[in-house]
């Protein structure tokens, strides 16, 4: 027996009303010109039979304009992911309170939450006009997800308590996701960022790069200097959305509101043009998006982004600039730059964590980092309040990785344990692990050599990580620890930590808000492109034939999380999550630094339908999928 899920709000009624009126749709003037010229089908032929009627923030908008943004260096792909890319099968509501339809118009859930049947939108199309059907989802499932060469590590969203999901095609517009056991968190996970996979692989385009569909693949491999075999070629053409590769292939069709016209990194400006086949409309039948294009000017530092904002060259931005240290300058230049502020509820489980590698390949470093007393000693050595005062103008509070104040899972004991700045106490703990020192006062490892950890640092999130890590290294030096700081860019940092080739790195962590269930990656080891501190244990948890078997205490947490995923009752899920939080607090896997105060963004004065406040988290890739409803009052961003 299954339960039919239908969206019964005003938006659903509007969808039926709009869909029932033949030729009732409107389109952007630029697209109407192409239709008149015969180079584009009419709008009613481009939209699905039942387009999604968006729940608008302010109301219906106007067509036109270019949304100008900036992108930082060569590893800032999340800048595009969060404005264009997050358009999954289902989506979170703008206030992050419920899961709503998106690419899927409805779904059925079995009584035990083990099977999820999704009903797609008949007549929906990719950005190049090719049909989007269940065959595309099956291509992802059968030929990408289930192929160990292309997917050696499966995203946890699609792995249930009994193993990887089984996907079946029912008909051209219906697919079933069967986990074989209850998976009560699946819909939440599918609405978050990494739920994008099933709808990101157009078979008609990517099939040519797959050995199963092209018997002349060797010719394509030979023509691509960066590809040594078909697997490398496929990954170049079909790279994951959260990596630069996805954004370096503008030929790849998508279901997003805008599609790239040039490759990220090829020039100093990335341009994304309106997708004429986008499947959403407003309550008046106007096809979205309203805005013609989005541009991303590639710059090398945050100061350049700020200058562009001051000069009125930024229309919507929060990434990199929305921090307390920038607020005064942005306020002083708001009139000149013609922008206003909006609130961003960016409240991660911790804003700054010196992630140390508990699965280090060096046995000496692994032994030391793996010792809980070492981690406690490091924690007591850091003057968190001084970091907050120096770098963030007092906007924050000392904290470990933990749920935020106001969250139902918040406990002061989670937040405050071992956060007291006490060098004497830090030395007591460190003396238990590294009692010997060299002539310069640095602690020696068990092998008799100076114990040194190199921390990779990228200047990301507008958090002044390089400055923060230098301060942390200074506090460590005061208690005899040699922490070296190595600057790098985001792409290189991710490459190193996902290959387990690192001592430590500075990053933030999700799990401070509603995402605690689906993104507990700092409460337990998980496979992630952004957070890795025990990747081998996480790999083992997904597949015991890979990775490395963890200690029993870690297994216990893994098993408890499996209980949560198998539980359909929210009350029981909550009780189990508290147990996990208690268990991870006892293990003290990671050393958190601070909970920052909510941040902000800027929007040009005439930009409308801007979510305010904008919820955001590590896996909640907002403002997409709501960027499509933003518009310029007057139809242009120019004065």
């Amino acid at each position: 027996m299954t339960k039919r899920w239908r969206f019964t709000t005003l938006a659903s009624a509007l969808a039926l009303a709009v869909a029932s009126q033949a030729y009732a749709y409107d389109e952007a003037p630029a697209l109407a010109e192409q239709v008149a010229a015969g180079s584009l089908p009419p709008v009613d032929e481009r939209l699905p039979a039942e387009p999604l009627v968006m729940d608008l923030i302010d109301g219906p908008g106007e067509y036109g304009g270019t949304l100008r943004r900036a992108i930082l260096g060569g590893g800032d792909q999340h800048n595009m992911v969060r404005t264009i890319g997050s358009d999954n099968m289902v989506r979170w509501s703008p206030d992050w309170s419920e899961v709503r339809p998106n690419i899927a118009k409805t779904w059925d859930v079995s009584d035990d939450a083990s099977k999820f049947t999704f009903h797609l939108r008949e007549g929906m199309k990719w950005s190049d006009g090719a049909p989007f059907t269940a065959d595309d989802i099956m291509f992802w499932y059968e030929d990408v997800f289930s192929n160990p060469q292309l997917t050696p590590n499966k995203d946890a969203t699609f792995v249930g308590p009994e193993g990887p999901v089984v996907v079946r095609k029912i008909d051209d517009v219906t697919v079933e996701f069967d986990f074989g056991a209850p998976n009560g968190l699946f819909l939440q996970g599918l609405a978050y960022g990494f739920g994008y996979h099933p709808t990101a692989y157009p078979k008609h385009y990517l099939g040519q790069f797959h050995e199963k569909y092209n018997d002349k693949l060797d010719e394509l491999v030979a023509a691509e200097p960066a590809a040594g075999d078909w697997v490398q070629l496929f990954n170049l053409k079909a790279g994951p959305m959260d990596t630069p590769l996805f954004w370096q292939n503008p030929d790849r069709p998508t279901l997003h509101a805008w599609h790239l016209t040039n490759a990220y990194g090829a020039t100093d400006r990335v341009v994304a043009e309106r997708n004429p086949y986008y499947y959403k409309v407003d309550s008046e039948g106007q096809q979205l998006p309203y805005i013609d294009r989005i541009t991303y000017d590639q710059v090398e530092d945050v100061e350049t982004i700020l200058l562009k904002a001051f000069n009125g060259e930024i229309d919507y931005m929060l990434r990199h600039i929305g921090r307390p240290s920038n607020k005064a300058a942005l306020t002083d230049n708001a009139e000149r730059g013609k922008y206003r502020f909006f609130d961003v509820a960016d409240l991660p489980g911790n804003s700054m964590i010196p992630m140390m590698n508990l699965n280090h390949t060096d046995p000496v470093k692994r032994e030391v980092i793996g010792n809980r007393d070492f981690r406690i000693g490091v924690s007591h050595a850091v003057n968190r309040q001084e970091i907050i005062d120096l770098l963030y103008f007092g906007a924050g509070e000392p904290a470990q990785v933990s749920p935020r104040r106001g969250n139902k899972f918040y406990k002061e004991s989670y937040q405050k344990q071992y956060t007291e700045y006490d060098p004497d106490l830090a030395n007591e703990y460190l003396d238990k692990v590294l009692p010997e020192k060299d002539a310069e006062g640095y602690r020696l490892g068990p092998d008799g050599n100076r114990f040194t950890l190199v921390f990779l640092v990228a200047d990301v999130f507008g958090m002044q990580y390089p400055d923060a890590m230098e301060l942390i290294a200074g506090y460590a030096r005061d208690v005899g620890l040699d922490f070296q700081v190595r600057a790098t860019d985001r792409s290189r940092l991710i490459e190193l930590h996902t290959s387990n080739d690192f001592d430590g790195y500075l990053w933030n962590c999700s799990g401070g808000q509603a995402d605690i269930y689906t993104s507990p990656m700092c409460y337990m080891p998980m496979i992630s492109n952004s957070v890795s501190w025990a990747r081998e244990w996480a790999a083992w948890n997904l597949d015991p034939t890979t990775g490395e078997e963890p200690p029993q205490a870690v297994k216990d947490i893994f098993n408890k999380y499996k209980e949560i995923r198998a539980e359909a009752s929210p009350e029981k899920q909550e009780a189990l999550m508290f147990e996990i939080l208690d268990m991870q607090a006892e293990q003290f896997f990671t050393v958190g630094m601070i909970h920052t105060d909510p941040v902000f963004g800027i929007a040009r004065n005439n930009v409308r339908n801007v979510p305010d406040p904008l919820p955001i988290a590590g896996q909640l890739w907002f403002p997409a999928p709501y960027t499509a409803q933003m518009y310029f009052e007057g139809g242009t961003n120019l004065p």
Side-chain angles (χ1 to χ4, degrees):
M1 183 176 180
T2 60
K3 296 178 180 178
R4 191 63 179 267
W5 192 101
R6 287 192 177 277
F7 196 43
T8 56
T9 65
L10 174 62
S12 139
L14 288 170
L16 293 174
V18 172
S20 66
Q21 299 177 37
Y23 309 103
Y25 303 113
D26 199 1
E27 61 191 330
L31 298 183
E33 291 176 5
Q34 295 180 49
V35 173
S39 59
L40 190 69
V43 62
D44 59 293
E45 295 179 15
R46 302 197 308 268
L47 285 166
E50 296 181 63
L52 173 62
V53 180
M54 282 296 286
D55 34 333
L56 304 176
I57 294 169
D58 297 326
E62 306 172 56
Y63 287 117
T66 297
L67 192 76
R68 298 166 300 172
R69 294 173 55 81
I71 198 165
L72 193 61
D76 196 17
Q77 66 275 1
H78 267 274
N79 200 319
M80 293 175 286
V81 169
R82 289 181 177 273
T83 46
I84 297 177
S86 187
D87 222 340
N88 301 352
M89 194 98 81
V90 297
R91 62 191 162 97
W92 282 101
S93 59
D95 62 357
W96 201 3
S97 64
E98 65 173 334
V99 175
R100 294 180 177 177
N102 206 50
I103 290 171
K105 64 177 183 179
T106 58
W107 57 84
D108 309 327
V109 182
S110 63
D111 286 342
D112 65 351
S114 65
K115 292 183 181 179
F116 301 80
T117 304
F118 295 94
H119 304 275
L120 308 177
R121 300 178 187 277
E122 184 177 356
M124 190 165 162
K125 297 176 175 63
W126 293 96
S127 57
D128 63 353
F132 165 74
T133 70
D135 289 335
D136 295 296
I137 294 176
M138 296 309 297
F139 174 73
W140 160 76
Y141 171 68
E142 293 176 343
D143 302 316
V144 181
F145 178 79
S146 299
N147 186 319
Q149 291 179 280
L150 298 178
T151 311
N153 296 310
K154 294 174 170 48
D155 189 277
T157 307
F158 305 101
V159 179
E162 299 299 319
V165 66
V166 175
V167 182
R168 303 182 184 93
K169 174 183 175 181
I170 307 302
D171 56 41
D172 284 347
V173 291
T174 313
V175 289
E176 178 187 79
F177 284 60
D178 185 355
F179 289 92
N183 190 1
L185 299 180
F186 176 57
L187 285 176
Q188 291 186 37
L190 195 62
Y192 283 118
F194 286 107
Y196 74 83
H197 291 280
T199 55
Y201 292 85
K203 180 179 180 179
H204 72 283
Y205 171 74
L206 292 177
Q208 65 183 309
F209 307 112
H210 198 293
E211 66 172 358
K212 179 178 175 180
Y213 300 98
N214 189 348
D215 56 8
K216 297 181 179 180
L217 198 53
D218 289 345
E219 298 176 10
L220 294 179
V221 172
E224 176 53 68
D229 55 31
W230 83 267
V231 173
Q232 292 180 12
L233 176 65
F234 189 88
N235 286 333
L236 285 172
K237 301 298 183 180
M241 192 184 304
D242 55 313
T243 69
L245 287 174
F246 183 97
W247 305 98
Q248 290 167 354
N249 181 11
D251 295 329
R252 179 178 181 170
T254 75
L255 300 175
H256 304 154
W258 296 268
H259 63 93
L260 297 191
T261 62
N262 61 328
Y264 176 30
T267 67
D268 57 7
R269 174 175 289 179
V270 182
V271 179
E273 295 279 354
R274 175 191 287 108
N275 172 9
Y277 297 93
Y278 196 53
Y279 63 100
K280 299 179 184 179
V281 299
D282 67 15
S283 57
E284 296 182 351
Q286 295 184 108
Q287 184 188 28
L288 300 177
Y290 297 120
I291 292 174
D292 294 335
R293 67 189 59 82
I294 302 179
T295 59
Y296 303 84
D297 286 353
Q298 186 167 330
V299 301
E300 295 306 316
D301 52 56
V302 174
E303 289 72 21
T304 303
I305 301 178
L306 289 169
L307 286 174
K308 291 176 75 65
F310 301 161
N311 291 329
E313 299 170 12
I314 296 291
D315 297 311
Y316 181 84
M317 196 87 191
L318 58 103
R319 192 172 178 83
H320 305 306
I321 65 173
R323 297 294 168 182
S325 58
N326 298 325
K327 188 66 178 282
L330 284 165
T331 299
D332 290 344
N333 288 276
E335 184 175 356
R336 171 187 168 197
K338 297 182 175 62
Y339 55 78
R340 68 187 188 277
F341 294 97
F342 61 89
D343 291 331
V344 179
D346 183 6
L347 302 172
N350 205 276
S351 299
M352 183 191 304
I353 308 159
M355 303 271 186
M356 292 182 282
N357 189 356
L358 271 67
N359 289 166
H360 209 296
T361 55
D362 182 316
V364 172
K365 292 182 178 181
R366 169 183 284 229
E367 176 186 345
V368 174
I369 295 172
N371 191 311
R372 180 172 176 270
D373 286 336
F374 174 78
R375 300 194 297 274
I376 294 174
V378 171
S379 187
H380 281 302
V382 178
N383 188 338
R384 293 168 173 80
Q385 190 59 54
E386 186 171 67
I387 293 175
I388 293 168
D389 293 340
L390 289 175
L391 300 184
Y392 310 119
F393 300 92
E397 60 180 325
Q400 297 295 351
V401 177
S402 59
R404 303 291 294 244
R405 293 184 187 276
N407 186 285
K408 64 183 177 182
F409 291 107
Y410 174 80
K411 283 186 180 180
E412 187 174 8
S413 60
Y414 296 153
Q415 180 190 13
K416 296 300 184 183
Q417 75 167 348
Y418 312 128
T419 58
E420 179 186 4
Y421 173 54
D422 189 335
D424 291 336
L425 187 56
N427 279 313
E428 286 184 29
Y429 276 101
L430 294 172
D431 286 345
K432 299 176 186 178
V433 187
L434 302 171
E436 304 298 326
K437 296 181 179 179
D438 63 17
E440 295 180 62
Y442 286 104
R443 295 180 183 274
L444 303 177
D447 58 355
N449 297 316
R450 179 183 292 184
F451 184 77
T452 299
L453 294 179
V454 177
F455 284 82
L456 304 169
V457 183
D459 191 3
V460 292
F461 312 134
M463 284 292 294
Q464 298 171 259
Y465 276 178
D467 295 333
M469 193 62 227
E470 290 290 353
L471 288 170
I472 293 170
Y475 302 133
R477 188 162 49 248
D478 292 341
V479 293
L481 291 174
D482 184 18
F483 284 6
Q484 300 292 320
V485 183
R486 180 179 299 167
T488 185
D489 63 24
R490 181 178 183 139
S491 295
R492 178 60 175 162
L493 188 153
I494 291 174
E495 177 186 346
L496 290 171
H497 85 70
T498 54
S499 61
N500 204 35
D501 185 14
F502 75 103
D503 295 346
Y505 68 102
L506 205 61
W507 209 253
N508 66 12
C509 210
S510 54
Q513 306 176 78
D515 57 344
I516 190 169
Y517 283 117
T518 52
S519 301
M521 58 189 61
C522 277
Y523 304 122
M524 56 180 278
M526 297 184 76
I527 295 292
S528 166
N529 280 341
S530 56
V531 175
S532 291
W533 47 270
R535 197 172 184 86
E536 294 302 303
W537 293 345
W540 178 91
N541 184 45
L542 293 177
D543 181 356
T545 65
T546 64
E548 175 188 313
E549 185 174 357
Q552 187 59 48
V554 177
K555 290 182 183 178
D556 291 342
I557 294 177
F558 285 152
N559 290 333
K560 192 66 63 175
Y561 187 63
K562 289 176 182 177
E563 289 183 47
I564 290 178
R565 297 187 66 184
E567 181 55 63
S569 164
E571 293 77 17
K572 292 181 180 179
Q573 287 178 340
E574 181 177 327
L576 291 167
M577 181 54 72
F578 269 117
E579 291 186 45
I580 286 182
L581 291 171
D582 289 340
M583 295 163 75
Q584 67 84 30
E586 174 63 26
Q587 294 302 311
F588 194 58
F589 294 123
T590 59
V591 181
M593 293 288 113
I594 59 176
H595 280 168
T596 50
D597 290 350
V599 294
F600 60 88
I602 62 170
R604 194 168 182 84
N605 290 331
N606 67 331
V607 175
R608 299 291 179 259
N609 283 340
V610 174
D612 186 5
L614 173 72
I616 194 169
Q619 302 303 312
L620 186 68
W621 293 349
F622 275 12
Y626 294 95
T627 325
Q629 66 172 269
M630 293 183 188
Y631 70 95
F632 292 104
E633 188 172 14
T636 179
N637 53 345
L638 299 178

